[in-house]
Amino acid sequence: DLARAWMEEEGKAAYEEAARQTAALRQRFPSLTEDVAPLDPTRFVLRTGDGFAVQEALEELGVWPEMAD
């Protein structure tokens, strides 16, 4: 199975890179951090005053947030 083979060969490095990039985003933008709640190392929760306005702006840039509130 191709997905399993990719995960076994390249998946760990790809996950670690995603976690590194997420940590960099958390440093650069206001976000939920470990002091507030346990987090998946690859999950980025952006904190804003108007989540729906930010969602719309991100979608105009081709970034599709999982959710907004």
Side-chain angles (χ1 to χ4, degrees):
D1 148 83
L2 292 176
R4 181 174 294 144
W6 183 87
M7 285 299 293
E8 289 174 354
E9 294 169 17
E10 301 176 40
K12 181 179 180 190
Y15 183 84
E16 289 172 348
E17 177 60 16
R20 186 193 65 71
Q21 289 180 13
T22 302
L25 285 171
R26 288 182 184 148
Q27 294 292 317
R28 188 170 176 197
F29 297 102
S31 61
L32 194 61
T33 60
E34 286 286 338
D35 1 337
V36 177
L39 299 172
D40 175 331
T42 61
R43 184 178 196 91
F44 179 65
V45 180
L46 182 63
R47 298 177 81 168
T48 69
D50 185 347
F52 295 111
V54 172
Q55 176 184 22
E56 187 175 317
L58 287 170
E59 288 175 354
E60 288 175 8
L61 296 171
V63 177
W64 303 97
E66 182 178 345
M67 66 170 285
D69 63 8

